[in-house]
Amino acid sequence: MTIDELQAAMHAAAAALDFEEAGRLRDRISVLRGGGDDPANDLAGLVRQQPGSMGLGTSQQRMVPPPGWVKPKKPDPMTKGRKR
């Protein structure tokens, strides 16, 4: 498919509210514009990272506490700052 055909298909998918397909077509267009028909640039098996898969909507990994770590108790808000 040519870039013009892919753009038409992308716009048709977006009009049909199929945004996942439109995104795949957009990625394919960007690959064709950047590197031509090089098989090394094929996105067929690639999937974009899903939000939250590495942490709360970020690209940072989720933190895992070390083995044996125990979460400390929360302080009692009624006794904070009290003097005896």
Side-chain angles (χ1 to χ4, degrees):
M1 289 182 96
T2 66
I3 291 178
D4 293 331
E5 292 171 341
L6 288 171
Q7 281 183 329
M10 178 183 68
H11 291 299
L17 302 180
D18 187 3
F19 298 115
E20 290 180 14
E21 178 64 20
R24 281 191 286 274
L25 291 168
R26 180 203 58 223
D27 293 343
R28 184 67 183 150
I29 290 168
S30 67
V31 166
L32 289 175
R33 284 184 177 157
D37 287 326
D38 185 9
N41 291 334
D42 188 19
L43 294 176
L46 299 179
V47 179
R48 286 187 177 270
Q49 178 180 340
Q50 299 300 316
S53 65
M54 296 277 295
L56 189 60
T58 69
S59 61
Q60 295 186 5
Q61 293 180 343
R62 291 185 178 146
M63 302 306 285
V64 178
W69 183 80
V70 178
K71 186 174 181 178
K73 288 177 32 179
K74 286 180 123 179
D76 184 5
M78 297 299 288
T79 59
K80 181 178 178 186
R82 274 183 83 185
K83 296 182 181 179
R84 290 185 177 211

